[in-house]
Amino acid sequence: MASIEFKRVEKRYADNPPTVPGLDLHIRDGEFMVLVGPSGCGKSTTLRMIAGLESVTSGELWIGDRLVNELQPAARDVAMVFQNYALYPHMTVFDNMAFGLRVRKQPASLIKSKVEQAADTLGLADLLARKPGQLSGGQCQRVALGRAIVRDPQVFLFDEPLSNLDAELRVQMRGNIGRLHREFATTSVYVTHDQVEAMTLGSRIAILNRGELMQVGTPMELYNDPDNVFVAGFMGSPPMNIVPVQNRGAGLKNALLDLPRADLGGLAGELLLGIRPEKLHPAAGSPDHWPRLRAKVEMVETLGAEMLVHLGDGSERMIARLPGLQLLTPGQTLELALDPDAIYLFDRHSRQRIRTVQPVAVAEAVPCT
Amino acid sequence: MHLIQRALALWLCLCAVQAVAQEELLLWHGYRGAERQALEQLLDDYNRSQSQVRVRALAVPFGSYADKLSAALPRGQGPDLFIFAHDRIGGWASAGHSIAPIDDFVRPQVLERFPDNLLGAMRYQGSLYGLPFNFKSTALIYNRALIDSPPATTAEMIAQARAHTDRQHGRFGLAYSYTEPFFHGALMNGFGSGPFDAQNRLALDSDTNVRSVQLLTEWVRTDGVLPEEPNSTLVTNLFNQGRAAMVISGPWMLGEIDPQIDYAVAPLPRLSASGTPLAPWVAVEGLFLSPWSDSKEAAYRLMEYLTARESAEQMAIAGGQLPANLGAFEHPQIASNDVAMAFRQQLETAVPIPNLPEMTLLWKPLENVLKKVVKGAAQPAAAMQRLQRDLQRDIAALQASQSRDAGPAQLPAWLWGLGLFLLLAAVTALLKLRRRIAATWRHNRTAYLYILPAMLGMLLLVFFPLLYGLLLSFTDTTLLNENTPLASRWLGLDNYVGILGDWNLWYGAGAERSINFDNFYWTLLVTVCWTASNVLLAVGLALLLALALNKPIFGRAWFRVLLILPWAIPNYITALVWKGMFHPQFGVINQALQIFGIAPVAWFDSVGASFFTGLVTNVWLSIPFMMVVILGGLQSIPRELYEAARVEGAGRWFQFREITLPLLKPVLIPAIILSVVWTFNMFNVIYLVSDGAPAGANDILITKAFRIGFEKYQYAYAAAYSMVILALLFCYALWQTRISRTMEAAR
């Protein structure tokens, strides 16, 4: 087991702008780090640099106490699970799992016991004689996991391992991977573009955008305390409502909202306000001092226990996650209350969080209507 | 109505009158260019000069002319008369129904137009088969800048030649295709009677013939005035570059001589020892009559017209021919042409190529012997004696096949039985399955219609020839009896017994023991070695190249194009290029070897070296296809597999062995199967590069079958040979299918 440290690591292909421009990231020993971000954000490249499949253009990459920039993949003692499983189609499940051990010329008896043990853990014991072509997607993925764990490496690397599976299997495999990590407690780096996977699996999550690290933290830190609009918008489904507002000195205002005075000091007039859909509550039953908004219902997505209400008025749109009890029809006007503790302000230009001020003067809040 | 009937009747009458009044004659020839124009002009004049006969000429492409005649004539489908070289007369006359004697038509005064030797060429077994039209013989062509006056004797010729020979700089006093029997004929005829004695019996081992070979060997090996491995292109090139002072060649070379070269033609010199002149063989083109012609009289009159002096003059002046009617040489325009007159003079001593059917068997084996002897690989006397024995055997085989049809013969009863049984089986099957056949036909009528053309094509082009070949293999069909009824040719399994039961693996005994290269098992061994080594090398090298080109190396796209390029060149051209490069004296390979101080290799002299030339050529030809196939296979292997293996710690060799090779199998195995079949039957490379040298040692089964069929004219034996090849490949295919099936199952 080992920690992983990126020190100003840059990856650049030819003369193009860098894919990863100077990454600083510390992955702790035994941690399950999820790299998440939209496609093209450099997360896979970052993972492949750890594996040694991509070279590091500049900076330092450490695994444990070794600088691995120039080290061959074989020497890094990492195991990787690929998106397409990368199973050898001409070998049986057993041979696939034994591959790494055979490369290392382990004695046959040891290989056998290790592979069988891993197969037991993953429920593959009956499939050892089959070839990948005869397996389902989930089974293939388990073989790929098995191939990684028999080697007992310092680091596990996962490159979107679940993206080829259907939704149900994905949930199941997510459980498996989580269980394995708890069992082996091996340092793991997991790449995904799916924030649900990130939230459920990660000890910590690193969110990347265009090669830049946006924020690192535990899932709840990122969810509750986003550093910027990108993180706020990336985590959660549906994402946080982000709407532009005017700072009128005496309050924040836009087409939907009219929040009472807040001490906004010298902040620019144009700001972004964020609030998660679940922090919009039906006005009835909410504390009186919570600010209100009235908006037209544009569309309702009923999910059973809850519903997503799309509110819109011309240019501004918001989504509210409400209990699925009431009957709403498009066109109807709805009054909602905003949880004042869950309102975030962002700079409109830097798109960074403004932490210096409390957006709503709660004590003095006055209902809009 | 009445009127129309009358008009019709009148028109029909007119047509009939016209048909009676005008006979049509069809004349086939193989001329092109000026010769063709001159001939057609003559025929136009003839058509205009009279109204009874209308002559139509058909120019048959020269390459297929002989085959077309042989196919059409016996079946009565050919022309009324045709122009062809005289050496086939014997074969045609023996085969029958191909050519008609003209003794009944010929007028004695017409025969006075021609010299005796040319007329003799037209005679076979006492009958005159045609009128000579023109002649071609070799003579001495010399470079006047180097040779002041042509030599009168062979000793003089060699002395002059030696003065102009500088082997270091590729200069030779004398050059000609001396290993070709047509050219060597001049020596054989000069010494004695040529390959046949006065009674037309084969006499290759006669004292005079052996001496002719000894003299040639002396010129090549002792005097060293002749280039190695000559052929007509080489001779022409040497002469045009001024690097050959004298060449022996015929009128066909004149058009290819560089205008810068000031040359002259002279008759060949006399033999110094006996004082007799060297007597080159002359090929006489004659006008021949088809036995099927309805207008033989008219055809003969056309022959007279075409060989008349005026016609001969026109063919000489406009067509550039050397006319057989020697009166034409008195025409001032021809008499003043030194070159034409030199060939005219050479004709005095020239001897027509024997027109015996046996002659066709002699060309290739005699050439092989000459090649061997001039390289010192065999002694003239012994080699000629062995050739005499072998040829006598082949001739006996031909004659036996011809004489057998004299006796009554019947197809064996079992053949009829088998035919009847098959017919009955087919009918029973049809009756039994008629419901199903009708039902499938109704259901899939469109589908059957779609495959009908392909089925017909297969039937006509594959199954019929196959069956015909099979039937042929049970007969003793040869050039001489192919038109006789099948029953008289029936032989049974003798051909197969002859091929498979021939255990004469050696020639001679003791120290003189040598491998019998004509033996089937030797040829089979060579074929197997040939196939295995080719496939192994081609696949191995193609794999290496494909692996290299699969990496993102610099200029990859260009390398790919360059490596695929040999594929775009027709393989016989590539083969000829390689043959040229392997030429022992002028080939680039030996010259390169010499630059590095390595002794030049006589590529076609030893079994191993000669095998190597074919191997290199064929591997060169095979690599592009193999490489493309393998490259495609490599690119279909997902990159992640290699990445996974790298992460797992596998090195390159391990990756290649454990991933690349197993995953290439699905492409490699079909490619190897194809390659095996192609190589096994690779006719072009063997035939064109090494030509089986030395002495047929490097022939593979398919070239051997060709030689038996088209150099020895034992068609049935060749058919049986082909059937054996087919059976071998069939076994291979069965085995291969089983392998592939187990592979499929394992996947």
Side-chain angles (χ1 to χ4, degrees):
Chain A
M1 280 186 288
S3 63
I4 300 168
E5 176 100 47
F6 287 86
K7 289 183 183 167
R8 306 294 318 149
V9 167
E10 189 184 276
K11 177 67 191 177
R12 200 186 262 281
Y13 293 100
D15 292 332
N16 300 319
T19 313
V20 177
L23 177 69
D24 280 305
L25 178 65
H26 180 76
I27 300 168
R28 295 174 200 134
D29 190 6
E31 185 172 40
F32 198 109
M33 171 63 85
V34 178
L35 303 180
V36 68
S39 49
C41 71
K43 56 191 191 297
S44 277
T45 308
T46 307
L47 188 80
R48 291 164 62 81
M49 282 195 283
I50 304 174
L53 296 174
E54 300 285 352
S55 61
V56 173
T57 312
S58 68
E60 290 179 359
L61 176 57
W62 293 77
I63 298 179
D65 50 5
R66 291 191 300 170
L67 178 65
V68 298
N69 284 31
E70 301 299 326
L71 231 50
Q72 281 298 309
R76 298 190 182 196
D77 198 13
V78 299
M80 185 156 167
V81 177
F82 290 81
Q83 181 173 0
N84 299 321
Y85 325 132
L87 298 181
Y88 310 117
H90 55 291
M91 294 184 194
T92 60
V93 169
F94 182 94
D95 288 336
N96 262 289
M97 287 169 68
F99 190 89
L101 299 174
R102 283 205 297 126
V103 171
R104 286 174 168 70
K105 300 212 164 66
Q106 302 280 338
S109 57
L110 183 75
I111 294 179
K112 189 163 185 292
S113 72
K114 277 198 166 180
V115 169
E116 279 171 356
Q117 195 186 343
D120 276 340
T121 317
L122 291 162
L124 291 169
D126 298 336
L127 306 177
L128 284 177
R130 295 217 195 149
K131 290 197 173 166
Q134 300 163 305
L135 302 180
S136 69
Q139 288 167 333
C140 284
Q141 193 51 269
R142 264 151 48 205
V143 177
L145 279 177
R147 189 168 64 183
I149 61 176
V150 288
R151 293 218 345 255
D152 198 11
Q154 283 196 334
V155 177
F156 280 134
L157 302 172
F158 299 89
D159 190 2
E160 308 215 22
L162 306 184
S163 58
N164 284 359
L165 301 178
D166 62 43
E168 201 181 332
L169 261 176
R170 213 177 297 174
V171 174
Q172 202 184 322
M173 286 304 296
R174 227 154 56 197
N176 271 338
I177 292 173
R179 185 168 55 82
L180 283 174
H181 180 248
R182 282 192 298 278
E183 212 168 289
F184 294 99
T186 306
T187 313
S188 300
V189 185
Y190 188 106
V191 161
T192 181
H193 62 267
D194 178 352
Q195 44 104 1
V196 179
E197 257 172 47
M199 298 281 278
T200 48
L201 282 171
S203 327
R204 283 199 303 154
I205 299 175
I207 299 188
L208 294 158
N209 187 31
R210 296 184 189 177
E212 307 264 7
L213 184 60
M214 293 281 121
Q215 192 174 357
V216 190
T218 64
M220 288 327 283
E221 274 169 15
L222 296 183
Y223 191 80
N224 290 328
D225 197 12
D227 275 348
N228 48 48
V229 173
F230 184 82
V231 174
F234 194 83
M235 306 302 284
S237 172
M240 181 186 283
N241 295 302
I242 312 264
V243 290
V245 288
Q246 301 282 330
N247 176 15
R248 294 273 174 82
L252 295 168
K253 194 169 162 58
N254 74 0
L256 285 176
L257 292 165
D258 188 1
L259 302 186
R261 195 207 73 75
D263 181 13
L264 296 171
L267 286 180
E270 300 269 306
L271 296 168
L272 292 172
L273 178 145
I275 184 159
R276 295 210 175 267
E278 60 270 30
K279 299 296 181 186
L280 291 167
H281 298 277
S286 301
D288 284 350
H289 65 274
W290 284 14
R292 309 284 150 129
L293 72 80
R294 287 170 68 85
K296 232 177 229 163
V297 175
E298 209 176 44
M299 187 181 85
V300 180
E301 290 180 76
T302 310
L303 303 176
E306 54 185 23
M307 59 188 178
L308 301 178
V309 183
H310 294 243
L311 303 162
D313 194 4
S315 55
E316 312 300 346
R317 282 195 162 68
M318 296 179 95
I319 298 177
R321 189 196 291 265
L322 301 178
L325 300 172
Q326 30 190 335
L327 243 160
L328 292 174
T329 47
Q332 163 185 1
T333 305
L334 189 67
E335 186 175 17
L336 295 171
L338 289 70
D339 182 346
D341 293 332
I343 295 176
Y344 307 89
L345 275 185
F346 301 96
D347 184 279
R348 188 142 185 195
H349 299 288
S350 72
R351 299 177 86 80
Q352 293 296 314
R353 176 91 171 274
I354 299 167
R355 294 177 188 274
T356 48
V357 291
Q358 192 63 26
V360 181
V362 173
E364 295 170 35
V366 181
C368 291
T369 46
Chain B
M1 188 70 186
H2 202 64
L3 199 70
I4 293 173
Q5 273 180 353
R6 265 195 198 174
L8 203 67
L10 188 69
W11 181 69
L12 281 173
C13 281
L14 279 174
C15 288
V17 167
Q18 182 122 10
V20 168
Q22 204 171 33
E23 289 180 89
E24 195 184 76
L25 284 179
L26 178 60
L27 168 74
W28 280 10
H29 62 89
Y31 291 150
R32 283 175 299 172
E35 278 179 305
R36 178 179 174 175
Q37 276 175 11
L39 179 69
E40 284 174 356
Q41 183 60 48
L42 275 177
L43 295 176
D44 280 352
D45 293 346
Y46 188 67
N47 284 338
R48 267 199 296 275
S49 70
Q50 42 77 44
S51 56
Q52 289 90 35
V53 180
R54 210 179 151 69
V55 185
R56 205 154 53 82
L58 179 71
V60 182
F62 185 74
S64 56
Y65 191 18
D67 290 340
K68 202 163 171 186
L69 280 175
S70 295
L73 285 174
R75 291 164 186 81
Q77 287 156 353
D80 295 284
L81 72 169
F82 58 95
I83 301 173
F84 202 79
H86 78 283
D87 57 334
R88 284 282 189 108
I89 293 178
W92 281 329
S94 306
H97 313 294
S98 298
I99 188 171
I102 58 168
D103 299 298
D104 294 346
F105 309 102
V106 78
R107 294 184 297 154
Q109 67 267 36
V110 170
L111 297 182
E112 286 164 15
R113 294 172 177 173
F114 315 108
D116 283 345
N117 54 0
L118 294 188
L119 265 182
M122 298 287 130
R123 286 210 168 86
Y124 180 69
Q125 295 187 339
S127 298
L128 184 67
Y129 279 94
L131 294 184
F133 192 43
N134 63 61
F135 65 91
K136 286 174 183 141
S137 78
T138 56
L140 190 73
I141 303 173
Y142 60 96
N143 188 333
R144 297 223 298 210
L146 302 171
I147 303 287
D148 297 330
S149 64
T153 65
T154 49
E156 253 178 64
M157 177 171 79
I158 297 303
Q160 285 186 338
R162 220 184 272 143
H164 288 102
T165 299
D166 178 2
R167 300 181 72 85
Q168 286 278 297
H169 296 95
R171 297 179 166 278
F172 297 91
L174 179 65
Y176 72 101
S177 303
Y178 52 85
T179 55
E180 279 178 31
F182 179 72
F183 289 87
H184 187 65
L187 269 75
M188 289 167 79
N189 296 328
F191 271 100
S193 66
F196 298 95
D197 65 14
Q199 282 74 46
N200 279 344
R201 284 178 314 219
L202 191 70
L204 282 169
D205 57 348
S206 72
D207 184 42
T208 53
N209 282 333
V210 171
R211 268 163 53 207
S212 78
V213 179
Q214 279 164 344
L215 179 63
L216 174 65
T217 316
E218 209 179 294
W219 288 355
V220 178
R221 298 185 65 74
T222 316
D223 299 317
V225 292
L226 286 158
E228 285 172 35
E229 305 223 349
N231 57 55
S232 58
T233 318
L234 177 70
V235 170
T236 311
N237 285 344
L238 285 175
F239 192 68
N240 280 343
Q241 292 160 7
R243 300 204 288 169
M246 294 175 278
V247 300
I248 297 175
S249 190
W252 53 86
M253 181 180 154
L254 301 177
E256 293 169 25
I257 296 178
D258 191 321
Q260 312 258 313
I261 300 283
D262 178 19
Y263 71 93
V265 182
L268 296 178
R270 295 172 173 282
L271 280 167
S272 306
S274 58
T276 52
L278 291 180
W281 263 332
V282 57
V284 189
E285 269 191 328
L287 288 150
F288 299 107
L289 186 60
S290 162
W292 304 87
S293 171
D294 296 327
S295 321
K296 291 203 183 68
E297 186 75 49
Y300 171 74
R301 280 201 305 276
L302 179 63
M303 287 186 190
E304 271 196 6
Y305 165 76
L306 287 174
T307 54
R309 181 161 165 183
E310 295 73 32
S311 306
E313 284 168 358
Q314 209 172 321
M315 284 309 289
I317 293 164
Q321 289 192 340
L322 298 166
N325 185 337
L326 296 185
F329 285 91
E330 288 162 23
H331 186 283
Q333 219 177 320
I334 307 174
S336 62
N337 182 335
D338 292 340
V339 170
M341 292 312 283
F343 280 110
R344 161 78 181 80
Q345 202 186 338
Q346 181 71 74
L347 184 63
E348 300 293 335
T349 58
V351 176
I353 301 170
N355 59 18
L356 304 170
E358 293 87 336
M359 189 64 199
T360 50
L361 297 180
L362 189 139
W363 299 111
K364 186 73 193 176
L366 180 55
E367 184 181 349
N368 282 343
V369 164
L370 290 175
K371 277 184 177 167
K372 228 167 140 175
V373 171
V374 295
K375 280 172 181 160
Q379 288 308 309
M384 293 300 266
Q385 276 157 16
R386 185 168 144 190
L387 177 64
Q388 168 83 7
R389 271 201 312 277
D390 290 353
L391 277 177
Q392 270 173 340
R393 200 190 53 219
D394 291 341
I395 290 170
L398 278 192
Q399 282 168 346
S401 78
Q402 194 186 8
S403 58
R404 244 161 54 89
D405 66 338
Q410 275 192 328
L411 287 177
W414 63 262
L415 190 69
W416 295 114
L418 185 70
L420 202 67
F421 174 76
L422 287 178
L423 195 72
L424 272 176
V427 170
T428 326
L430 273 178
L431 283 176
K432 225 171 171 180
L433 297 173
R434 66 178 186 279
R435 291 247 167 78
R436 261 180 63 191
I437 292 172
T440 36
W441 169 251
R442 263 198 307 282
H443 268 108
N444 306 312
R445 200 170 304 179
T446 339
Y448 280 117
L449 282 176
Y450 279 135
I451 60 167
L452 193 67
M455 263 169 64
L456 283 178
M458 288 281 284
L459 212 67
L460 236 74
L461 300 174
V462 178
F463 294 115
F464 174 70
L466 190 69
L467 239 124
Y468 182 77
L470 184 67
L471 209 60
L472 198 64
S473 71
F474 293 116
T475 68
D476 66 348
T477 308
T478 64
L479 173 70
L480 299 183
N481 70 346
E482 56 173 330
N483 302 313
T484 59
L486 182 69
S488 70
R489 285 181 275 146
W490 192 263
L491 198 63
L493 289 170
D494 286 13
N495 286 330
Y496 291 97
V497 174
I499 294 165
L500 300 173
D502 176 13
W503 291 100
N504 298 318
L505 302 176
W506 306 97
Y507 258 118
E512 288 184 2
R513 199 161 91 141
S514 64
I515 298 169
N516 175 10
F517 295 136
D518 286 335
N519 184 276
F520 169 78
Y521 294 101
W522 167 262
T523 310
L524 181 64
L525 177 74
V526 169
T527 311
V528 169
C529 292
W530 160 257
T531 309
S533 53
N534 266 296
V535 173
L536 218 70
L537 267 177
V539 171
L541 290 176
L543 186 61
L544 279 181
L545 286 171
L547 285 172
L549 287 184
N550 202 31
K551 297 248 180 302
I553 52 169
F554 174 74
R556 174 161 76 154
W558 286 104
F559 283 131
R560 265 189 215 178
V561 171
L562 282 178
L563 282 165
I564 289 168
L565 215 55
W567 207 8
I569 298 168
N571 66 7
Y572 67 94
I573 291 181
T574 311
L576 290 174
V577 168
W578 276 100
K579 185 184 174 66
M581 295 204 294
F582 277 116
H583 190 281
Q585 209 153 33
F586 302 99
V588 70
I589 292 173
N590 270 355
Q591 293 187 351
L593 286 180
Q594 279 165 298
I595 289 173
F596 294 106
I598 303 169
V601 179
W603 290 107
F604 300 111
D605 287 7
S606 71
V607 180
S610 180
F611 184 86
F612 179 77
T613 61
L615 184 65
V616 168
T617 310
N618 200 47
V619 166
W620 169 268
L621 280 168
S622 318
I623 280 182
F625 170 77
M626 283 291 163
M627 197 190 68
V628 169
V629 167
I630 294 173
L631 208 51
L634 284 178
Q635 278 166 357
S636 72
I637 300 177
R639 217 182 47 171
E640 288 112 64
L641 295 189
Y642 293 107
E643 292 183 340
R646 280 173 67 196
V647 173
E648 302 258 346
R652 288 199 177 183
W653 171 242
F654 201 86
Q655 288 176 39
F656 175 74
R657 209 183 58 197
E658 298 286 328
I659 301 174
T660 312
L661 220 46
L663 290 180
L664 268 185
K665 247 199 212 158
V667 264
L668 266 184
I669 289 191
I672 290 175
I673 294 174
L674 277 177
S675 176
V676 164
V677 176
W678 287 343
T679 314
F680 197 88
N681 277 340
M682 178 43 87
F683 181 85
N684 287 4
V685 170
I686 295 287
Y687 191 74
L688 295 175
V689 179
S690 70
D691 197 15
N698 272 309
D699 266 322
I700 57 172
L701 291 170
I702 197 82
T703 54
K704 192 70 109 196
F706 175 84
R707 288 190 209 289
I708 295 169
F710 301 102
E711 282 169 13
K712 296 188 178 185
Y713 299 95
Q714 298 175 6
Y715 299 146
Y717 199 78
Y721 220 88
S722 307
M723 284 295 149
V724 173
I725 299 174
L726 184 72
L728 286 172
L729 281 176
F730 188 71
C731 292
Y732 168 77
L734 281 182
W735 175 74
Q736 197 63 72
T737 321
R738 252 190 36 202
I739 297 276
S740 325
R741 214 178 285 149
T742 34
M743 220 183 67
E744 295 275 316
R747 214 183 294 167

